Every structure is written in C-alpha cells, then in structure tokens.
C-alpha cells in the first residue's frame, strides 16, 4: 500500500490487509443497504466525519478494492 505523504509509511501483513479490505467492503455495504441492517444516519455521520453517506461508501469500496489488488 502506498501512502502519498513521504513522511509516512504504512505496513500491513497480508492477512491484516485482507481483513481490513473485508471490513471496508462490509462498511460500504451497510452504508448503501436500504434494509434493516443499514447504518443509521447518526452512525454514518460519526464514521464519515462530515462526509456524506454516498461519498463514504465510495471511499470505503475504493480503498477495499485497492487493498485487494495489492494482495
């Protein structure tokens, strides 16, 4: 995983990257779901720190895909 800031380095084991990828994908699913398992607006707001539900779901899906591609 590359981090743009040259002062920062991130290292994850393959198993941790896989687990994080799954967690991010599931979070995106819970943000997009329309059923009873959907994250509430308050939960989505707390996770997104001001980002909208759609933006946060897209970010989580994109990062999950990037992590999976690196494995």
């Amino acid at each position: 995983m590359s981090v743009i800031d040259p002062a920062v380095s991130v290292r994850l084991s393959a198993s941790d990257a896989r687990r994080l990828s799954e967690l991010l994908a599931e979070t995106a699913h819970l943000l997009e779901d329309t059923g009873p398992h959907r994250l509430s607006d308050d939960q989505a707001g707390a996770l997104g720190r001001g980002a909208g539900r759609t933006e946060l779901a897209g970010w989580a899906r994109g990062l999950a895909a990037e992590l999976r591609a690196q494995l």
Side-chain angles (χ1 to χ4, degrees), residues 8-58:
V8 176
S9 177
V10 175
R11 295 182 76 106
L12 294 173
S13 68
S15 63
D16 283 346
R18 198 171 292 108
R19 186 174 185 188
L20 181 57
S21 172
E22 291 167 1
L23 178 84
L24 288 165
E26 182 62 21
T27 300
H29 171 74
L30 294 173
L31 285 162
E32 296 167 338
D33 190 53
T34 57
H37 300 295
R38 178 184 176 98
L39 290 176
S40 71
D41 288 340
D42 287 342
Q43 290 168 321
L47 284 173
R49 296 183 177 181
R53 179 183 294 273
T54 302
E55 178 187 349
L56 183 58

Side-chain angles (χ1 to χ4, degrees), residues 56-67:
L56 183 58
W59 173 82
R61 280 209 188 282
L63 187 52
E66 185 177 333
L67 282 169

